[in-house]
Amino acid sequence: MAETKEFPPQKIRAIVAEVATLLKEKKESVSVAETAAGGIISASLLSTPGASGFYKGGLTLYTLEARVQFAGWSEDTIKAYKGPTAEIVAGLARSVRGKLGSTYTVSESGTAGPTGGSTPNRTPGYVAVAVATASGTYTREFNTELGGNREGNMIQFAVEALTLLRDVIKGDAKL
């Protein structure tokens, strides 16, 4: 069986290595609540040697039903849902951080494509990311400008989430 040298994806390697190094140096931990990235964030962190020293766990909350079961959503939350937003990912991050007890929880939700909707947050390439900490929850919103390139968007969503996490760990992010 041939070994794969393609994981994590090339675009993620540098940022995941930097995040892992920071977490190890500071003896801090991370958990993950991801949706449209589909597990890429968790898998990338876990591909790092020594991940058991900083990775507390992760959830791929792709469906609304999963969010009810594992992220504290209610039927009212589902009825009011209008797509991914900074507020949605902040709530996911806070909920998972509370359950897993990590220093940080990084979360993302976006529209990977190839199709989407007519509102900005339903446009393929849109992603909201968040990092929950004891002192507050940091959020950012982006558009990858990759259109309906589903795989490209998923990878870039992971990069954006890990970039915010790095900035929070380093003290460079603003609440």
Side-chain angles (χ1 to χ4, degrees), residues 9 11 16 18 26 56 61-62 66 81 89 94 128 141 150 156 160 168 173:
K11 284 186 167 186
V16 81
E18 186 177 1
K26 292 178 167 274
K56 290 279 194 171
L61 301 165
Y62 191 73
Y81 183 71
V89 295
R94 284 190 296 269
E141 295 176 277
R150 187 173 182 82
Q156 194 60 40
E160 299 296 351
V168 170

Side-chain angles (χ1 to χ4, degrees), residues 66-116:
R67 295 173 196 184
V68 169
Q69 291 297 315
F70 301 106
W73 280 33
S74 67
E75 290 301 319
D76 289 338
T77 311
I78 290 175
K79 286 177 188 166
Y81 183 71
K82 302 242 187 290
T85 64
E87 294 78 22
I88 293 287
V89 295
L92 294 175
R94 284 190 296 269
S95 177
V96 171
R97 183 175 177 275
K99 288 175 175 59
L100 294 179
S102 55
T103 311
Y104 310 99
T105 296
V106 60
S107 179
E108 64 72 37
S109 188
T111 305
T115 61

Side-chain angles (χ1 to χ4, degrees), residues 23-37:
L23 289 166
K24 289 178 203 175
E25 286 173 354
K26 292 178 167 274
K27 298 184 181 355
E28 293 177 327
S29 61
V30 68
S31 58
V32 180
E34 54 194 307
T35 71

